[in-house]
Every structure is written in C-alpha cells, then in structure tokens.
Amino acid sequence: MTYRQQISGHTYQFDGLVDVMAKATPLRSGDELAGCAAESDAERAAAAWVLADLPLTTFLDEQVVPYETDDVTRLIIDTHERSAFAPIAHLTVGGFRDWLLDSASQSDSADRIAAVTAGLTPEMVAAVSKIMRNQDLIAVASATTVRAAFRTSIGVPGTLATRLQPNHPTDDPRGIAAATLDGLLMGCGDAVIGINPATDSPHATSDLLHLLDEIRQRFDIPMQSCVLTHVTTTIDLIERGAPVDLVFQSIAGTQGANTSFGITLPMLHEADEAGRSLGRGTVGNNVMYLETGQGSALSAGAHLGTGGKPVDQQTLETRAYAVARALNPLLVNTVVGFIGPEYLYDGKQIVRAGLEDHFCGKLLGLPMGVDVCYTNHAEADQDDMDTLLTLLGVAGTAFVITVPGADDVMLGYQSLAFHDALYVRKALGLRPAPEFEAWLTRLGMADGDGRVLPVDPAGSPLLALAAGQ
C-alpha cells in the first residue's frame, strides 16, 4: 500500500508500512547507513503525520517482516491477545499516544497500562514512540510498573537497581573480586553481579560462577550472579552442576539476527526451563538475563523486511522485546551506545534511543534497564551519560549498569561508575532493591533512608575479602 502526505504544497509518498515507519523515525546514523532514513525534516514530519493517522489494526494486517519467513514475526502474531487489545483496537497511533498520556495522568495508571500490554505488538509500540517527545516517553514509562524477582525484587516503584560489572581483561579472580568489593561498598549489585568473560571457555566460566557464588554465600548477600557466556555454554554448565543463577543471552528482533548469535527461540525456552529447574531463587524464579541494542540486526545484515526493504533499527530493536517477554526474564537491558557511532552517532541520538528503548520495553511488560554507555569514537561524552541517567531515573528504569571508574577495561567502552548510581538515587530519592537495602543496613553500610554510608576499614566484614581473610 502506498501512503501520501502533503506538506507546504509538496506531496511525499511512502511505499508501505516499512517505509513509513523508517521515515518517521527521529534521525539516527544507522538508518542513514541502511538507506531507509528520511531525506529531510519535512519528509520525516510527513511520515510521522501518516503514521499518527494509521489505525493500530494496521499492524496486525501488515507485517514489517514477513510471517512466512521469520519466527519472531510468528511469535508476535501467534501470541497476540485480542481480548487485551480490544479496549484500544479502535484507536489510531496518534489516538494511542493520547490514550497513554491520559492513562499516565491517572491514579491507577499502572493498572490501566498493564491491562493492554498483552494486546500490544512491538510494531505498535515502536510506532507510537516515534511520534512522542522525550517527555512523553518519560511520562508514560514512569507511570508503568513491571516487576520481576529472583533473590532481589526488580522494578519496585521508588527503586533503582544496578548491575555490578566487574570485568577483567584476563578474568583474573583477584581483579574481579576487587572490583566486586568496590561496587558492593558503594551499594551496587542488587540487580546482578554480572561478568563479561574474556573467553567462552566452559571451564573459565565455571570458575567465575563459583567465585561469585562463594562471595554471595560468605557474606550472605541477597543477590544473583551471572557470567555472560553463550546460552548453550550455560545449559551445559547447569547439567554439570555449576552454581548458575541467571541464564544470559543477547537477542535480536529478526530470525536472521538471532541466527547470527547462534540461537533459536526453542533454544531460549530450553535455557529458561533449565534455569528455573534449579530453584535457586528465594523471592522469585525469573532466571533469564537478556541484552539487546539498536543496530544489532543491521550489523548482522539481517535487517530486511517485507519487500526486501530495510526496516529501521528502532523497530527491529522493539521486536527483540517480543522474544524477551515470552521468557518472563528477570532483567532486560539495551546496551544503548555500545555498538558504535555507525548506528547512534552522537550523544543526542544515544539519549533519544535510550529513552525509546526503555519506554518500548516497559510498555511491552519487561523489567527494562539500560546500559548508559558510549564507545570512545562516538561524538558523546560523560555529560551526555549524566543526562541520560537522570532522565532514566525519572522514567523509572529498573536498573542501570555500573563499572569501576565508568571505564570497562575489558570491553573498552564507557559506561557508568558506581558513584553515578549513588548520585541518581540521592538526587531522585530512589533506593536499592528492598532485599539488598536490608542487607546493606544490617551490615551498617546504609542508613534508614537507604543512603550508603562511609565504611570503617577496621570494622567492615567485606574488607576482609580484599585482605584474603
């Protein structure tokens, strides 16, 4: 179907839904690289106008990636709940934006939005995000509540959890333990202590899992750990009896992109069942930890949709959330600036993408977090990350990622430091996950308001770890 819109005497023409979605997307370098971005602000405005007038039912009748050739599309359509969709089925994309903003202003906003979540497809959610300002994305996300739990509770209103990321370029246990101690002393680690290993060796991964589990048991920490290896390695380690808490995998929004990661949808469900079978959670049994990122499908050459046209990277990113929500994960995060400036060029694009991803993930029912980050060759700096962190805190993000000194020495990119989490919690009145905060308080590391306290070197049991006692 061809769509047309006239602006200032010029008629813009769009060849199908894929083209409208791409042209309506706020400017980003990845869409320019793929050749699907609007050529001018006027064309972008025309596409957004067309998109706003499209009925939501369009996204059930017209697919951006063909049903016949893509298992993610089949998952989206086959699991769509018509009963949940019914209250909003009469709306256009623009009308849905108005409905969301009105719902966000009500006292029962979380219940209103949750009632339609199962009736939303990723493409509907991506579409509405494209016609929303940053403040709209923040307003709706902040009014939406999504919870999950394992040994700590994620997504509790008024909390901001953190992933403590103690990576080391050689997986040196002493370096990892030192970084872990540093983060724990600053109140980080309540979402997960997660290591990106320098190697995919099952033996090395097992050693790291045992190291983190020993720390957890020694200090009776309500936490979950994860070594971010391939899902097949984790399944094998579960069968060998390794102390696996969370099962990690990077995922994407097309079958082709997931194939490039070496995964299938049945494989992910097998991993979820294997993790749950261990019964290691105490307050819940959500065991999957999933990472995404705008541009992953394009970088894999798996970004083409209906008619062989390139699908914009933000729509494909949102489709990855359909894969995630089918697994009822504990944690999902977008590594928003990690893939590089070829996909998100500068701080402005990274900030916008971070707010989009968080909004779309949360609206689709995910405990959504963000790795607030950038690569050193991007046109971005730590001031941009401060801005995005603060906006995400206002938007009610479930968790952020923190690394020693904001500089990941193994992956070679810039993220958030441990003290950045302290800043945003203090500035916005946010607290750690409740189980983790209780542990901090019990050890004298936090006061009754959840603020992390200076540690007495002579009296801290955690410091015994650094001394090897």
Side-chain angles (χ1 to χ4, degrees):
M1 181 175 181
T2 299
Y3 300 95
R4 295 180 179 85
Q5 180 63 48
Q6 187 175 83
I7 292 183
S8 300
H10 182 85
T11 299
Y12 293 92
Q13 182 169 300
F14 307 100
D15 184 17
L17 184 59
V18 171
D19 197 31
V20 172
M21 292 280 278
K23 297 294 196 300
T25 306
L27 179 65
R28 63 208 57 200
S29 52
D31 291 339
E32 292 180 310
L33 178 65
C36 64
E39 294 183 2
S40 66
D41 288 338
E43 185 180 28
R44 186 171 296 108
W49 198 326
V50 169
L51 188 60
D53 285 341
L54 288 182
L56 289 180
T57 52
T58 303
F59 300 94
L60 300 176
D61 300 330
E62 188 175 349
Q63 303 307 313
V64 299
V65 182
Y67 180 96
E68 296 77 14
T69 60
D70 189 272
D71 60 4
V72 177
T73 301
R74 292 194 291 274
L75 172 68
I76 291 167
I77 297 302
D78 293 350
T79 61
H80 180 251
E81 291 192 12
R82 293 275 182 170
S83 59
F85 180 59
I88 56 172
H90 63 289
L91 297 175
T92 62
V93 172
F96 183 43
R97 171 188 175 272
D98 295 341
W99 183 91
L100 286 170
L101 290 170
D102 178 67
S103 296
S105 70
Q106 306 299 318
S107 59
D108 60 346
S109 59
D111 292 336
R112 284 174 178 245
I113 295 171
V116 303
T117 291
L120 301 176
T121 69
E123 290 85 355
M124 293 175 192
V125 173
V128 76
S129 75
K130 295 175 190 297
I131 63 168
M132 297 175 82
R133 293 170 54 186
N134 285 359
Q135 70 169 249
D136 298 339
L137 300 175
I138 294 168
V140 175
S142 67
T144 306
T145 299
V146 182
R147 303 192 193 205
F150 189 75
R151 293 195 189 96
T152 61
S153 301
I154 304 300
V156 176
T159 68
L160 173 67
T162 55
R163 171 183 163 189
L164 197 171
Q165 184 168 295
N167 293 345
H168 192 278
T170 64
D171 290 341
D172 185 333
R174 293 171 299 176
I176 289 172
T180 299
L181 171 66
D182 188 21
L184 289 171
L185 289 172
M186 290 199 183
C188 293
D190 45 341
V192 63
I193 299 181
I195 302 171
N196 296 90
T199 173
D200 226 11
S201 159
H203 178 75
T205 300
S206 180
D207 286 346
L208 294 175
L209 286 169
H210 280 93
L211 170 66
L212 294 179
D213 201 53
E214 179 184 346
I215 293 172
R216 176 186 69 84
Q217 293 190 63
R218 181 174 180 181
F219 297 104
D220 193 25
I221 309 173
M223 56 165 262
Q224 40 275 339
S225 62
C226 186
V227 178
L228 282 64
T229 189
H230 193 269
V231 66
T232 54
T233 302
T234 304
I235 292 173
D236 181 60
L237 289 171
I238 289 173
E239 293 173 350
R240 297 186 190 182
V244 173
D245 287 342
L246 304 186
V247 180
F248 170 82
Q249 185 55 51
S250 295
I251 59 172
T254 67
Q255 181 174 337
N258 284 322
T259 298
S260 76
F261 290 150
I263 59 171
T264 63
L265 301 187
M267 187 186 297
L268 293 173
H269 284 283
E270 178 188 353
D272 181 46
E273 291 174 4
R276 289 175 183 269
S277 71
L278 299 178
R280 291 172 59 86
T282 55
V283 295
N285 201 30
N286 300 110
V287 300
M288 296 299 289
Y289 176 21
L290 305 167
E291 277 194 343
T292 67
Q294 286 195 27
S296 60
L298 174 57
S299 67
H303 62 293
L304 300 181
T306 299
K309 302 183 188 71
V311 181
D312 70 273
Q313 66 183 36
Q314 190 254 338
T315 296
L316 292 179
E317 166 72 6
T318 307
R319 282 169 52 90
Y321 304 153
V323 177
R325 73 173 172 179
L327 297 164
N328 295 309
L330 177 74
L331 306 169
V332 181
N333 74 260
T334 168
V335 284
V336 66
F338 180 74
I339 302 180
E342 299 83 1
Y343 307 96
L344 295 169
Y345 179 72
D346 56 16
K348 180 180 178 65
Q349 292 187 14
I350 291 171
V351 168
R352 172 68 190 190
L355 294 176
E356 287 171 348
D357 293 352
H358 176 256
F359 163 85
C360 291
K362 208 170 180 186
L363 195 56
L364 287 168
L366 296 175
M368 196 71 191
V370 178
D371 188 354
V372 179
C373 64
Y374 63 101
T375 57
N376 287 317
H377 61 309
E379 290 295 320
D381 57 29
Q382 211 64 39
D383 285 339
D384 297 311
M385 301 305 102
D386 289 346
T387 298
L388 179 53
L389 170 62
T390 306
L391 294 175
L392 288 168
V394 176
T397 191
F399 72 104
V400 293
I401 291 179
T402 55
V403 306
D407 185 357
D408 192 300
V409 295
M410 196 279 281
L411 293 175
Y413 78 116
Q414 307 300 308
S415 186
L416 298 176
F418 302 137
H419 67 265
D420 293 328
L422 296 182
Y423 143 72
V424 76
R425 283 173 176 166
K426 175 68 165 61
L428 300 178
L430 301 171
R431 305 174 79 128
E435 300 84 358
F436 193 80
E437 181 182 333
W439 175 77
L440 291 171
T441 304
R442 187 168 71 248
L443 265 64
M445 295 167 58
D447 64 16
D449 294 323
R451 293 175 297 189
V452 174
L453 301 172
V455 175
D456 177 7
S460 171
L462 280 177
L463 288 176
L465 177 65
Q469 299 174 8

